[in-house]
Amino acid sequence: MPILHPADSHELHLSSLNTIEAAAGPIKSLPRFYPAGHRVERHTHSRAQLLYAAKGVVVVATEEGRWMLPPGHALWIAPGIAHSVEMLVDVTMLSLYLAPGVVAGLPERVKTVGVTDLARALIVAAVNPEPEDNTPARAALIMPLLLDVISTLPERGLALPFPSDPRLAALCRSFVAQPTAELPIDRWADQMSMSRRTFTRIFRRETGLSLSTWRQQACLFAALPRLADGEPVTTVALDLGYDSVAAFTTMFKRMLGSPPRIYLARDRSQPAASASLL
């Protein structure tokens, strides 16, 4: 695997940003391979980005929170939003950069979306086509359909927003470092010198999520990289403090639409896409 040195990474990242900003058409596509542990520093671009992780798991951070992007998902990043990207494992990333207004009605924020089979095929064909498909005539057919499909991708609740209150944010950071199925609400409320009711109300106001949903999101953040790396579901579930694999599976299915084994098997059955190193 190629080793990306910090100086080279910085220069290549700047070159990539310049390429995006200089693009003339409505869509600019970029395939990239990133090694585990690589970090793309905080940046912005004038185009919206659909960041699709064809393989691997990434975390995108903005001032509003953190978004996990597991395999088979994409992240919509509106123009002008400052964000950084961290690779938790080796990542094959296929990104589309859309000129403002090219698709009407898309959100002016960050959101995680599920990638349908049709969308996946179109993204691969647009970003990293096979040599025989890399023709202007094919692109003229693919791009309009891809733009239409992007607007219909289903939103997935994989955001992990952090509160702005420093004391509450510190509690959240400590939990993310060691997530567990049981979150000590009363102890957190005591540390904030609040009643349980006041604490839960303020937490929702600060994050937009109930404490229960936020806890489940944090557990998913911890579980998905380990599951993607091949660890048994039983091990991950028990490490996170779930009473049983069934309880963990129920949570996983409620949050992502399918149980872990089916979800991960679906991803592993997808063909890998080749990409250059940034």
Side-chain angles (χ1 to χ4, degrees):
M1 180 186 300
I3 297 175
L4 199 61
H5 297 288
D8 296 335
S9 172
H10 181 69
E11 290 300 321
L12 288 170
H13 179 53
L14 290 178
S15 175
S16 181
L17 290 177
N18 290 336
T19 298
I20 295 165
E21 295 302 323
I27 302 179
K28 174 62 180 176
S29 61
L30 284 178
R32 291 289 183 261
F33 171 77
Y34 297 96
H38 182 73
R39 177 180 172 85
V40 178
E41 295 301 329
R42 188 178 179 87
H43 65 283
T44 64
H45 27 73
S46 63
R47 289 175 174 247
Q49 180 181 5
L50 185 71
L51 187 159
Y52 171 53
K55 290 291 178 181
V57 181
V58 306
V59 171
V60 177
T62 74
E63 290 183 352
E64 297 180 6
R66 302 170 76 215
W67 282 260
M68 171 166 278
L69 192 58
H73 289 73
L75 193 71
W76 173 260
I77 305 172
I81 293 181
H83 58 284
S84 61
V85 187
E86 180 183 359
M87 318 302 154
L88 300 186
V89 295
D90 290 349
V91 171
T92 298
M93 188 182 298
L94 308 179
S95 286
L96 298 172
Y97 297 89
L98 283 66
V102 71
V103 178
L106 289 174
E108 298 180 359
R109 58 184 180 90
V110 179
K111 74 172 185 178
T112 307
V113 295
V115 176
T116 62
D117 289 342
L118 174 59
R120 183 180 302 112
L122 290 171
I123 291 171
V124 171
V127 181
N128 201 37
E130 296 295 332
E132 61 270 21
D133 295 329
N134 193 14
T135 66
R138 290 278 177 107
L141 295 172
I142 291 169
M143 290 304 181
L145 180 56
L146 178 56
L147 290 173
D148 180 70
V149 168
I150 286 173
S151 66
T152 66
L153 296 177
E155 185 167 1
R156 299 298 188 209
L158 289 172
L160 193 66
F162 270 60
S164 57
D165 182 281
R167 294 184 301 159
L168 190 53
L171 290 174
C172 290
R173 281 195 296 271
S174 67
F175 183 83
V176 168
Q178 292 184 309
T180 175
E182 298 297 327
L183 193 153
I185 300 176
D186 292 326
R187 180 164 59 82
W188 280 24
D190 288 342
Q191 289 181 252
M192 295 286 292
S193 301
M194 298 176 183
S195 68
R196 180 188 179 104
R197 183 176 180 181
T198 299
F199 176 80
T200 55
R201 184 178 69 249
I202 289 177
F203 189 92
R204 182 183 285 275
R205 186 185 68 196
E206 288 269 329
T207 65
L209 300 175
S210 70
L211 194 58
S212 175
T213 299
W214 190 91
R215 171 185 56 79
Q216 291 173 350
Q217 303 283 55
C219 286
L220 278 177
F221 264 53
L224 279 167
R226 296 176 61 182
L227 294 172
D229 202 35
E231 288 195 48
V233 175
T234 300
T235 301
V236 174
L238 296 180
D239 283 352
L240 289 173
Y242 284 85
D243 293 333
S244 65
V245 174
F248 173 78
T249 299
T250 298
M251 180 278 294
F252 193 102
K253 184 177 180 180
R254 182 170 59 249
M255 302 298 288
L256 293 180
S258 60
R261 288 188 176 89
I262 293 177
Y263 179 87
L264 294 166
R266 183 176 60 218
D267 172 66
R268 288 165 185 157
S269 67
Q270 299 168 15
S274 60
S276 60
L277 178 69
L278 173 63

